[in-house]
Structure formats: structure tokens, C-alpha cells
Amino acid sequence: MLEKLLLNHYEAAAVILSGIGLTNLLLQRNLIKKIIGLNIMDTAVYLFLAAKGYVEGRAAPILIADGSGGWLRSSALYVNPVPAGLVLTGIVVSVSVTAFALALTLKLYESYGTLNIDEALMKMTQEQEELEARIDDAEEEVLSS
Amino acid sequence: MNEELRRIWKSFFDWVMGNGPRPENEVIPPEPPPDLPFTRKPKDKYSRFHEATLKERYNQWLEIHGLHLFSVLYAGLSVLTCIVIVSLLLATVAELPPFGHERNPANNEVIRRYVEHGGHETGAQNIVAGLILDYRAFDTFGESAVLFTAAVSVLMLLGASRRNRAESELQPHTYEIGRNFLQRGPPSLGHHVFRRDDTILHSVANLSIPVILMMGCVVVINGHLSPGGGFSGGAILSTALILAANAYGFERVHEFFNERTFIISSSTALMIYALSKGYSFFTGANHIHSIIPKGTIGNILSGGLILPLNLCVGLIVAGTLYGFYALFSEGDM
Amino acid sequence: MINMFAYNIPFASIFLMMIAAIITPLIPNRNRLPEKLSCLMIATVGILSAYLLYSLTNSGQSLNFNFSMGHFPAPWGNELRAGPLEAVLSLVFCTAMLLSLTGNLSSTAEDIAPKRRNIFCVLVNLLTASLLALTYTNDLFTAYVFIEINTIAACSIVAVKESPETVRAALRYLIMSLVGSGLVMIAICLLYDLTGHLLMQNMHNAIQVLVATKSYMMPLTVSLALITAGLAIKSALYPFASWLPDAHGSSTNASSAILSGLVLKGHIFTIIKIFYRVFGLDVIHLLRMDTVIFILGLTAMIMGSVHALRQKNVKRMIAWSSVAQVGYIFLGVGLNTTAGIAAACLHIIVHACVKPMLFTAAGGLSNAAGHKKGLHALMGTFYVNKWAGLGLIAGAFSMMGIPGFAGFASKLSLTLASFDHATVVWALSALAASSVLNALYYVPAVIVVLTHNKDAQKNFTAHAPTLSYKISMFVFLALNFYLGLFCVPLLRLITRGVNVL
């Protein structure tokens, strides 16, 4: 098993990285660190894909001129182009999602003054209890009068 | 000896705990008796009863320690989950096809056609550009739509609302809870202070912005011939805009690129993208001959729709990335 | 062979919604123009889907067709695939989306600041487009891209109502969704590495070869588990459903209706397609994924209802009930037979029609009670807004499975589907227990709404329901009864659709 892992060492590194990213995404209380964890996970996926596209001894998938006006088209010359396309899509998706998550985090910070989502929940519950207590008081006053 | 070791350990322990070295003549106050969970002094709520029931005590204890207990449990579970996932994936990776081998399942007839016929079928020298903007163009259209969705959402969250927070148009009932936080006002986020007289920044910007812009245009326009394309070129273009905003102030950039122009340019670019690609999908699926010429491989004007699509994508990406920057740093664009 | 016009409908419906989304920021944001455009486009796409369904069922032998996106055939280019099931689902999605929008026009106008209203329409259009794309796509990577559009748009329509609570709910929803997308992405990469294809059909053939030669079984199992877990998080299967009540309970009514009724269903249908079209039912059974899904579905049915019992806020109660209903759907998927999946699809349709109605009704009732959402504040509101009251009662009866209402039909078909399965005892007892639990929280709600309350009624704001509200509620009620009474032809159609999925 270890030999095989060494053979697939790029993929193994990618998998460990994505584990670290997932840990951060789940474990961190701070939202910014959560988002960093998400980005680590995405980067790990790109590393995995890039490793999957590579074929020993082949060139990047951009056609090479053969010197007499034509192009070298043998598929034995170029690496797999599909993972490159997938990585590109993945990067754009990751940028969009990160920006959106950061915008939401900024709004959360503006509303609650914290970057911790559980603390925000606690503050909200406190507010709610205060509000309910105030409503109860008001109702009692109305009833007594 | 033992005493000495204990002293060293104690000072080390204090150092670790952040207390620093303690003065020799320090008077250590007697520690308060430890708060044991079930011997806690009852609150006022329970004071009228001499004996609170076990359940009440449990609830009280949970109220005090529940959050801590929960977070410890949560952390333990998360670490466990991640270890399980990583080891599972490592076991999987060990079984995967070997790295860089040419007989792997992924190197099949699909790849052969992309490489061997990609040139004359799409007209693009860059096989990846031909792949993402012609063979699998629907994915790439979706991807631009993801960027558009995010841009619209961020604009919604940070754009109008932050500018006009004072004159909020909301009905009072829409946020009963948390209104106090809003009234108290957010903690200061800190704002950029632009130093207009920063000569170094100005000269560097004057020198490098044209170069960056040119570089971005080259990457966009040569997307079908060389590595790059709309996404990477657009990102380069947006750095020029961001540098300009930092050197000359956001107001100067807003004179020619504001929210309105951003929305109009990205919507129009995406619309051109959608319509041209829609035409190509429609003709392809219905076996109608497409009027778009493929051109000669290697020329600038080749690759059919790839060049105009790259231009559209470049415009969208440049605008969106600059928009993100402006919205996050200024809350305005 | 179907005609040229119908052949282009799947492509046309996705592109129409996309173009509507792109053009909305450019049109003036007044006179409710964006809303009108969205409703018009969704209605058009709904009519087109109905026509597609009609011509598919009347076309002779071939019930489905592939539509290649571009000039390149299947394994090289992207592809759409349409059959009766896809047509029915897109028709239902469009109908429910349209009714959720028109039914909640007034509450949308109250909750969402005028400047954000056109962006709300953009997001709704994008959401519809992504749902249609998820329904029709035959390519796993396209599915991933549109899942991401779906995620961002869904979180945005939670946060579009400006309050700290919705921001927090949207963030929780987003974080959970991102974990899900990450898992889906890793799984797609693994599957691509093993099969060398991204297209579902070709992937299926490659997987059959792998299974027959017993090679790469471990990576295959792991990728199936990851993709199922990722999509299960997004479709709120019970242990992963903690984000749902916050997001669906705090957002504006139209968003709640759309999220509960449709967004979850898009992901569930993707799971069904992956099970049926990519792996094949026998491979799913071989890898034991059906048992896992079955058990999770059972747990969700019970636990969702147990959580719903404890809620005081009516919208949160309905949101937790969605978790239970998602459990029903997964129970059908976990049966791993054609009949089970057909029953699951019928339940998707039923729930997509009933849950938006419940949210719209709850919104109307709490509006009548002066924007209070507590269950007890709704006492006597039936007499203020009769249409909303009727909607709540019909929806509650449907969720309980009273004969004649929509929920009965799907529960009956789930029961029938579970008879030829080894775990019939478990399935039946869970169905019975869950129905009782549903009754335990829906009946009190109905009683509260129907109780006369003279004192409170004076304080109620006299909000007469608008015409659009009445019409939407009427269509919802009609759909509910139609599904409850005449579901047999629909179920037959769905079964045919599942067979050619």
C-alpha cells in the first residue's frame, strides 16, 4: 500500500490537503478560517486533477508546428486536456463562492460584531429572550390597567 | 533537587500559561473553593426552595457548561470525521490508476479525438481552449453564470445596503431581533486612507498600469493560441483596475467604471456569450450548417467563436473581480 | 420520432431562463417589471414543458431523446437528455415556482427592500435555470456547475430579506452546502479518473466493465459514498439537515416556498439520476448504498417529525416537516427498485406542490395575525384569511396522508412499492409512525387556526388577501386534489419515465 501511495504521491498529498481543508471547514469557529479551509480543499482538488492529467513524457496540450506548415497531431504527444478544463471551471467556482461567503461574513460581523457563528446565535437568543421579556412586561401592564 | 526541579517546572508552567516569572515576595491569594457541578450555590430563582430537584440542578449545570461540552464534543467529532475521511481517501488513492501512466482509463478515445481532430474541428491551436469553449462549452457557460450569480449576490449584500444604512427602507417588523446591534452600529471596519501625494505609488502605477493592461489584452486575445484566455486575462485586467483605484483613489476609477457600467457591461457580455453559444448549440443539435468560419489554425482570427467568447469572458471577469475588491474595501463601486 | 419544436424544448427552456436572468439587471426596476418578466418566462417554460410532455407521450416507441449541445456527439460534447420523467418534473418545478412567486407577491414586497427586488428576480431566474439544467443534463460535470449556481442563488434568496437572522441562516446554509459541493467535486474527479468519461451514459458503461472485472471496487465505493453524502447534505437528509430550519424558517415566504419545494428536489433528482443512470441499480445494491440510504431515510422520517413537534414557530415547524418528507423520498430511493424510485419521484412532485402551498398559507396567516409567527398567535386567523386557512388545512391533511389529498397518493405508492422488498416491515412501520407523528403537530395547528378568538380578531390587521394570492391558492388547492384523486395515470407515466431514465 505504501509503495502505491508513493507512486501516486501527488494524489496522496492532494487527499491529505483536502482532509486538512475539510477539518478547517468543519472545526474552525472563526468564519474567515472556515473559508480559508474551503480554499485549501479546492486547491487540493486542483492538485489532484492536475496530477490526473499528467502523462509521463508528454507536452502541454497546445499544438506544436511540425515545421512544414502543418501541426503535430499525434495523441501520443500531448497530456490529457480535460483536467485542465475542469480545474479552470473549479477555480472560477471557488472564486465566486469565496467572494459570496466573505460578503455574508462581513454582513454577519456588521450585525453581531463577531466572526463566530455560534456566538452570533447566542447573542441572537439573548436578544430574543430580552424581547420576549419586554413583550411579557408590556402585556402584564396592559392587563393590570 | 526535587524542590529545584519543581521550581523550574513551576516557572516554566507559568511562562506557558502566560503569567511570566513571579516575584519572590508575591502573596498568593487562597484559591476559592472549586465549583463542583452539583454543589453550585443556587441562583435566586431557586432560592425559595431549599433543595432544588436533581433535574433543575442538571439543567443549571448544562446552562453553564453546556456550550463548552458541546464545543469539545464537536471538535472531537470533527477531527474523527476528518481522520476517517483522509484515511479512506488515502486507501482509495493507493488503488487508483498509477500516476502519469499512458494506459490509464482517462486516456481514451475521447482524449484522442480532442487532440487529433481538435485543431481542425474547433480551429484553435490551444486544445484546452477548444475543449472548454467549443466541445464542452455548456459547462463553461455555466461557469460564467456562476461568476455572474456571485457578482449579483455580493452587489446585493454589500452594495446598496451599506451605502444607505442610515435611511433604511425596511419595515420595522422585518427584523425585531438583532435590531439593537444595528442601532448600536457595527464595530469600526477601518477605511482606506488614500494618500494622494504618494509619489512612489503614483509613478509605479503610471509605469505599470499600461503594461498590465497590455499583458491582459494579449492573454485574452491569444487565448486560442497560447495558454491563457478570458479568465486569466480578465484577472490580469482587473489587477490593473485595482492598482489604479489604490493609486488614484476609487473616485477616479468610478468616473468611468461604476456600478451601472459594471452591470451593463457584464450583462451585455454574458448576453452576447449566451446568444452566440445558443446559436451554435442550436445549429449543432439540429444538424444545421453553422455560418461561423473556423479559420486557419495558428492565426489570430481563427477558432470560430472562441475569440469573441474570450473577449466577453475577459470583460466579465475583469469587471467582477474589480467589483469584489471595490465592494469589500469601500462598500461601493 | 418527435417533432423539431419539441426536440429543442429542453435546450430552449434552460436558455430562456438564463437570458431572463441576464436581462433583468438591465431593465428598469419599477412597476414590478422584473417580477412580471420572471413570471412570464417561468410560465412560458412551463407551457413548453407541458408541450414536450404531450409530444413525448404521443410520439410512439421512443420515449426519450438526447440533445447534443453543439456540433459534437455524445462522449465529446455536452448533452441533454429528456424523457417523460424529466418533462413532468420541469413542468412541476415551473408551476410550483410560478405559484410561489405569485402567491407571495405582497409579503415579498414587504420583506425585500425595493432596490433588491430586481436582484431577487435575477436569483429566482437563475435558480429556475439551474433546476432545469439539473433535471435535463446528461453530464456529471455540467451537473456540478449548475449545483454551484443553485447553491449560491439559494443562499442569496435567503439573505435577500435584510435581517441579521437571515444572514446567519444563509451563512450556515452556505457552509454546509460548500462541504457538500467539495465532496461532490472530489467524487467526480475520482469517477473521471476511473472511467475516463464525464457523460453519464458512457460512465455507466465503463462502470459496468469495472464491476464485471472486479477492478477498482474500493475507489468506486468511496466515490459513490462521497457523491451521495455531498448531495445528501445539500438535500437535507436527516443527520445533515441542521441548516434547513434556520434557512427555511427565517427567509421571506417566497424564498421558503422555493427552497423547500424545489431546491431540495433538484439535488434529490440528481442523486436519483446518479443511482439509476450512472451506476445502475444492481451496482448500487452490490456496493450496499441502498441499505444506507434506506436507513437514513427511515431515521429522517421519524426524527424530522420529532423535531417539528417541538417547534413553536409555524414556519420552523413546516421546515422541519420538510426534513421528514425528504426522508420519505429517500426511503423510496433506498428501496432500489423501479417502483420505489417511481414512488419517490411521485413524492417529489407531491411535496413540490404541497410544501409551497403550506408556506404560502402560513405566510398569509401570520400576516393576518400581525406578522407574528408563533403558533399560538395564529388563533382564529382562519376567519380573517379564509384562503390561507384552507391552504393550511389542505396541506396539513395532505402531509398526514388523509385519502383524497395529495400526500395520500404518494404514501400509498411508497407502501405498495415496499411490499416486494425484504424490509417491508420496517418501511411500513416507519410510514405508519411518521404519519402519526405528522398528525401530532399538524392537527393542533389546524385546530388553533380554526378556534374562534374574538379578542384577538379585533387586533388583527384587516389584510384582505390580494387577487393573486387567491388565484395561486386556488391553483395550489386544485393541484392538491388532482394529485390526490387522479394520480394513477401520473404514476404510470412516471414509471415509464423511470424505465427509460
Short mmCIF file of all heavy atoms in Angstrom, two decimals, chain C residues 20-59:
data_model
loop_
_atom_site.label_atom_id
_atom_site.label_comp_id
_atom_site.label_asym_id
_atom_site.label_seq_id
_atom_site.Cartn_x
_atom_site.Cartn_y
_atom_site.Cartn_z
N ALA C 20 -33.41 35.40 -19.32
CA ALA C 20 -34.24 36.24 -18.44
C ALA C 20 -33.41 36.74 -17.27
O ALA C 20 -33.49 37.91 -16.88
CB ALA C 20 -35.43 35.43 -17.94
N ALA C 21 -32.55 35.85 -16.72
CA ALA C 21 -31.73 36.25 -15.57
C ALA C 21 -30.74 37.33 -15.99
O ALA C 21 -30.50 38.29 -15.25
CB ALA C 21 -30.99 35.05 -15.01
N ILE C 22 -30.16 37.17 -17.17
CA ILE C 22 -29.12 38.12 -17.58
C ILE C 22 -29.72 39.48 -17.91
O ILE C 22 -29.12 40.52 -17.65
CB ILE C 22 -28.35 37.56 -18.78
CG1 ILE C 22 -27.62 36.28 -18.40
CG2 ILE C 22 -27.33 38.55 -19.30
CD1 ILE C 22 -27.14 35.49 -19.58
N ILE C 23 -30.93 39.48 -18.47
CA ILE C 23 -31.51 40.74 -18.94
C ILE C 23 -32.15 41.53 -17.80
O ILE C 23 -32.29 42.75 -17.88
CB ILE C 23 -32.51 40.47 -20.09
CG1 ILE C 23 -32.50 41.63 -21.07
CG2 ILE C 23 -33.90 40.24 -19.58
CD1 ILE C 23 -33.23 41.30 -22.34
N THR C 24 -32.50 40.83 -16.71
CA THR C 24 -33.23 41.51 -15.62
C THR C 24 -32.46 42.71 -15.04
O THR C 24 -33.08 43.74 -14.79
CB THR C 24 -33.60 40.51 -14.52
OG1 THR C 24 -34.28 39.44 -15.12
CG2 THR C 24 -34.48 41.14 -13.49
N PRO C 25 -31.14 42.64 -14.80
CA PRO C 25 -30.48 43.83 -14.24
C PRO C 25 -30.53 45.02 -15.18
O PRO C 25 -30.35 46.15 -14.73
CB PRO C 25 -29.03 43.37 -14.04
CG PRO C 25 -29.04 41.92 -14.08
CD PRO C 25 -30.19 41.52 -14.92
N LEU C 26 -30.76 44.78 -16.47
CA LEU C 26 -30.72 45.89 -17.43
C LEU C 26 -32.06 46.60 -17.53
O LEU C 26 -32.10 47.76 -17.96
CB LEU C 26 -30.33 45.36 -18.81
CG LEU C 26 -28.93 44.78 -18.94
CD1 LEU C 26 -28.72 44.23 -20.33
CD2 LEU C 26 -27.90 45.83 -18.63
N ILE C 27 -33.16 45.94 -17.16
CA ILE C 27 -34.46 46.60 -17.35
C ILE C 27 -34.76 47.47 -16.13
O ILE C 27 -34.25 47.23 -15.05
CB ILE C 27 -35.59 45.57 -17.60
CG1 ILE C 27 -35.74 44.65 -16.40
CG2 ILE C 27 -35.34 44.80 -18.85
CD1 ILE C 27 -36.92 43.74 -16.52
N PRO C 28 -35.56 48.51 -16.32
CA PRO C 28 -35.82 49.43 -15.20
C PRO C 28 -36.52 48.72 -14.05
O PRO C 28 -37.42 47.89 -14.26
CB PRO C 28 -36.71 50.50 -15.83
CG PRO C 28 -37.22 49.92 -17.08
CD PRO C 28 -36.20 48.96 -17.55
N ASN C 29 -36.11 49.09 -12.84
CA ASN C 29 -36.62 48.43 -11.64
C ASN C 29 -37.83 49.19 -11.11
O ASN C 29 -37.81 49.73 -10.02
CB ASN C 29 -35.49 48.37 -10.61
CG ASN C 29 -35.89 47.61 -9.38
OD1 ASN C 29 -36.88 46.89 -9.40
ND2 ASN C 29 -35.15 47.77 -8.31
N ARG C 30 -38.88 49.26 -11.90
CA ARG C 30 -40.10 49.90 -11.40
C ARG C 30 -41.31 49.24 -12.03
O ARG C 30 -41.18 48.44 -12.94
CB ARG C 30 -40.07 51.39 -11.68
CG ARG C 30 -39.89 51.73 -13.13
CD ARG C 30 -40.10 53.20 -13.40
NE ARG C 30 -39.97 53.42 -14.82
CZ ARG C 30 -38.84 53.75 -15.42
NH1 ARG C 30 -37.73 53.91 -14.73
NH2 ARG C 30 -38.81 53.92 -16.73
N ASN C 31 -42.47 49.56 -11.50
CA ASN C 31 -43.73 48.96 -11.96
C ASN C 31 -43.69 47.44 -11.92
O ASN C 31 -44.36 46.78 -12.69
CB ASN C 31 -44.05 49.36 -13.41
CG ASN C 31 -44.37 50.83 -13.51
OD1 ASN C 31 -44.76 51.43 -12.51
ND2 ASN C 31 -44.19 51.40 -14.68
N ARG C 32 -42.84 46.89 -11.03
CA ARG C 32 -42.74 45.43 -10.91
C ARG C 32 -42.38 44.76 -12.22
O ARG C 32 -42.77 43.62 -12.47
CB ARG C 32 -44.06 44.85 -10.40
CG ARG C 32 -44.46 45.43 -9.09
CD ARG C 32 -45.38 44.50 -8.41
NE ARG C 32 -45.26 44.66 -6.98
CZ ARG C 32 -45.97 43.96 -6.12
NH1 ARG C 32 -46.79 43.05 -6.55
NH2 ARG C 32 -45.82 44.13 -4.85
N LEU C 33 -41.65 45.47 -13.07
CA LEU C 33 -41.28 44.87 -14.35
C LEU C 33 -40.45 43.60 -14.18
O LEU C 33 -40.73 42.60 -14.85
CB LEU C 33 -40.49 45.89 -15.19
CG LEU C 33 -41.33 46.78 -16.09
CD1 LEU C 33 -40.44 47.74 -16.85
CD2 LEU C 33 -42.11 45.93 -17.07
N PRO C 34 -39.43 43.58 -13.30
CA PRO C 34 -38.65 42.34 -13.15
C PRO C 34 -39.50 41.16 -12.75
O PRO C 34 -39.36 40.06 -13.32
CB PRO C 34 -37.65 42.70 -12.05
CG PRO C 34 -37.55 44.15 -12.05
CD PRO C 34 -38.88 44.65 -12.47
N GLU C 35 -40.44 41.39 -11.79
CA GLU C 35 -41.30 40.29 -11.36
C GLU C 35 -42.15 39.79 -12.51
O GLU C 35 -42.30 38.58 -12.71
CB GLU C 35 -42.22 40.74 -10.22
CG GLU C 35 -41.64 40.58 -8.85
CD GLU C 35 -41.47 41.91 -8.17
OE1 GLU C 35 -41.19 42.90 -8.89
OE2 GLU C 35 -41.58 41.96 -6.94
N LYS C 36 -42.68 40.75 -13.28
CA LYS C 36 -43.55 40.35 -14.40
C LYS C 36 -42.76 39.54 -15.40
O LYS C 36 -43.24 38.51 -15.91
CB LYS C 36 -44.13 41.60 -15.07
CG LYS C 36 -45.29 42.17 -14.29
CD LYS C 36 -45.76 43.47 -14.90
CE LYS C 36 -46.73 44.16 -13.98
NZ LYS C 36 -46.84 45.59 -14.28
N LEU C 37 -41.52 39.99 -15.69
CA LEU C 37 -40.70 39.26 -16.65
C LEU C 37 -40.43 37.83 -16.16
O LEU C 37 -40.58 36.86 -16.91
CB LEU C 37 -39.38 40.00 -16.87
CG LEU C 37 -38.44 39.30 -17.85
CD1 LEU C 37 -38.92 39.50 -19.26
CD2 LEU C 37 -37.03 39.82 -17.70
N SER C 38 -40.07 37.72 -14.86
CA SER C 38 -39.78 36.38 -14.32
C SER C 38 -40.99 35.49 -14.45
O SER C 38 -40.89 34.34 -14.93
CB SER C 38 -39.41 36.48 -12.84
OG SER C 38 -38.21 37.12 -12.68
N CYS C 39 -42.16 36.01 -14.01
CA CYS C 39 -43.36 35.18 -14.05
C CYS C 39 -43.68 34.77 -15.47
O CYS C 39 -44.01 33.60 -15.73
CB CYS C 39 -44.54 35.93 -13.44
SG CYS C 39 -44.35 36.17 -11.68
N LEU C 40 -43.53 35.73 -16.40
CA LEU C 40 -43.84 35.43 -17.80
C LEU C 40 -42.93 34.32 -18.32
O LEU C 40 -43.39 33.36 -18.95
CB LEU C 40 -43.66 36.71 -18.62
CG LEU C 40 -44.02 36.57 -20.09
CD1 LEU C 40 -45.52 36.53 -20.22
CD2 LEU C 40 -43.44 37.71 -20.89
N MET C 41 -41.64 34.46 -18.03
CA MET C 41 -40.68 33.48 -18.55
C MET C 41 -40.94 32.11 -17.94
O MET C 41 -40.92 31.09 -18.64
CB MET C 41 -39.25 33.92 -18.21
CG MET C 41 -38.75 35.00 -19.12
SD MET C 41 -38.70 34.44 -20.81
CE MET C 41 -37.57 35.59 -21.51
N ILE C 42 -41.18 32.09 -16.61
CA ILE C 42 -41.40 30.79 -15.96
C ILE C 42 -42.66 30.14 -16.53
O ILE C 42 -42.70 28.94 -16.80
CB ILE C 42 -41.48 30.96 -14.44
CG1 ILE C 42 -40.14 31.45 -13.91
CG2 ILE C 42 -41.83 29.65 -13.76
CD1 ILE C 42 -40.15 31.82 -12.47
N ALA C 43 -43.71 30.97 -16.74
CA ALA C 43 -44.94 30.42 -17.31
C ALA C 43 -44.68 29.88 -18.71
O ALA C 43 -45.16 28.79 -19.07
CB ALA C 43 -46.00 31.50 -17.34
N THR C 44 -43.90 30.62 -19.51
CA THR C 44 -43.60 30.15 -20.87
C THR C 44 -42.90 28.81 -20.82
O THR C 44 -43.25 27.87 -21.54
CB THR C 44 -42.69 31.17 -21.57
OG1 THR C 44 -43.20 32.46 -21.33
CG2 THR C 44 -42.61 30.90 -23.04
N VAL C 45 -41.88 28.72 -19.95
CA VAL C 45 -41.14 27.47 -19.87
C VAL C 45 -42.05 26.34 -19.39
O VAL C 45 -41.95 25.20 -19.88
CB VAL C 45 -39.92 27.65 -18.94
CG1 VAL C 45 -39.25 26.33 -18.69
CG2 VAL C 45 -38.95 28.61 -19.56
N GLY C 46 -42.97 26.66 -18.47
CA GLY C 46 -43.92 25.64 -18.02
C GLY C 46 -44.77 25.13 -19.16
O GLY C 46 -44.95 23.91 -19.32
N ILE C 47 -45.26 26.05 -19.98
CA ILE C 47 -46.10 25.64 -21.11
C ILE C 47 -45.28 24.80 -22.08
O ILE C 47 -45.74 23.76 -22.59
CB ILE C 47 -46.70 26.88 -21.80
CG1 ILE C 47 -47.69 27.56 -20.86
CG2 ILE C 47 -47.40 26.51 -23.09
CD1 ILE C 47 -48.10 28.93 -21.29
N LEU C 48 -44.03 25.24 -22.33
CA LEU C 48 -43.17 24.47 -23.23
C LEU C 48 -42.96 23.05 -22.69
O LEU C 48 -43.02 22.07 -23.44
CB LEU C 48 -41.82 25.17 -23.38
CG LEU C 48 -41.78 26.44 -24.22
CD1 LEU C 48 -40.39 27.03 -24.22
CD2 LEU C 48 -42.21 26.13 -25.64
N SER C 49 -42.74 22.95 -21.36
CA SER C 49 -42.53 21.61 -20.78
C SER C 49 -43.77 20.76 -20.94
O SER C 49 -43.67 19.55 -21.21
CB SER C 49 -42.19 21.72 -19.30
OG SER C 49 -41.17 22.63 -19.11
N ALA C 50 -44.95 21.38 -20.75
CA ALA C 50 -46.19 20.63 -20.92
C ALA C 50 -46.29 20.11 -22.35
O ALA C 50 -46.66 18.95 -22.59
CB ALA C 50 -47.38 21.51 -20.58
N TYR C 51 -45.92 20.96 -23.31
CA TYR C 51 -45.98 20.52 -24.71
C TYR C 51 -44.99 19.39 -24.97
O TYR C 51 -45.29 18.42 -25.67
CB TYR C 51 -45.71 21.70 -25.65
CG TYR C 51 -45.74 21.29 -27.09
CD1 TYR C 51 -46.95 20.98 -27.69
CD2 TYR C 51 -44.57 21.17 -27.83
CE1 TYR C 51 -46.99 20.56 -29.01
CE2 TYR C 51 -44.61 20.76 -29.14
CZ TYR C 51 -45.82 20.45 -29.73
OH TYR C 51 -45.86 20.03 -31.02
N LEU C 52 -43.79 19.52 -24.36
CA LEU C 52 -42.79 18.46 -24.51
C LEU C 52 -43.34 17.14 -23.97
O LEU C 52 -43.21 16.09 -24.61
CB LEU C 52 -41.52 18.85 -23.75
CG LEU C 52 -40.43 17.80 -23.68
CD1 LEU C 52 -39.89 17.49 -25.07
CD2 LEU C 52 -39.29 18.24 -22.79
N LEU C 53 -43.98 17.22 -22.82
CA LEU C 53 -44.55 16.01 -22.21
C LEU C 53 -45.60 15.40 -23.13
O LEU C 53 -45.59 14.19 -23.39
CB LEU C 53 -45.18 16.37 -20.87
CG LEU C 53 -45.78 15.24 -20.07
CD1 LEU C 53 -44.70 14.26 -19.69
CD2 LEU C 53 -46.47 15.76 -18.85
N TYR C 54 -46.45 16.27 -23.68
CA TYR C 54 -47.52 15.81 -24.57
C TYR C 54 -46.92 15.11 -25.78
O TYR C 54 -47.32 14.01 -26.15
CB TYR C 54 -48.38 17.01 -24.97
CG TYR C 54 -49.32 16.74 -26.11
CD1 TYR C 54 -50.50 16.05 -25.88
CD2 TYR C 54 -49.02 17.16 -27.40
CE1 TYR C 54 -51.36 15.78 -26.92
CE2 TYR C 54 -49.87 16.90 -28.44
CZ TYR C 54 -51.04 16.21 -28.21
OH TYR C 54 -51.88 15.94 -29.23
N SER C 55 -45.90 15.75 -26.39
CA SER C 55 -45.40 15.14 -27.63
C SER C 55 -44.55 13.92 -27.33
O SER C 55 -44.46 13.02 -28.16
CB SER C 55 -44.62 16.16 -28.46
OG SER C 55 -43.76 16.88 -27.66
N LEU C 56 -43.95 13.84 -26.14
CA LEU C 56 -43.20 12.62 -25.81
C LEU C 56 -44.12 11.43 -25.64
O LEU C 56 -43.82 10.32 -26.09
CB LEU C 56 -42.41 12.83 -24.52
CG LEU C 56 -41.05 13.51 -24.62
CD1 LEU C 56 -40.50 13.76 -23.25
CD2 LEU C 56 -40.09 12.67 -25.43
N THR C 57 -45.26 11.67 -24.96
CA THR C 57 -46.15 10.53 -24.72
C THR C 57 -46.90 10.12 -25.97
O THR C 57 -47.39 9.00 -26.05
CB THR C 57 -47.16 10.87 -23.61
OG1 THR C 57 -47.67 12.17 -23.87
CG2 THR C 57 -46.51 10.85 -22.26
N ASN C 58 -46.98 11.01 -26.97
CA ASN C 58 -47.70 10.66 -28.19
C ASN C 58 -46.76 10.36 -29.35
O ASN C 58 -47.17 10.41 -30.50
CB ASN C 58 -48.63 11.81 -28.58
CG ASN C 58 -49.77 11.91 -27.62
OD1 ASN C 58 -50.40 10.92 -27.29
ND2 ASN C 58 -50.01 13.10 -27.13
N SER C 59 -45.49 10.08 -29.05
CA SER C 59 -44.54 10.01 -30.15
C SER C 59 -44.29 8.59 -30.63
O SER C 59 -43.51 8.40 -31.54
CB SER C 59 -43.21 10.61 -29.71
OG SER C 59 -42.65 9.81 -28.70
#
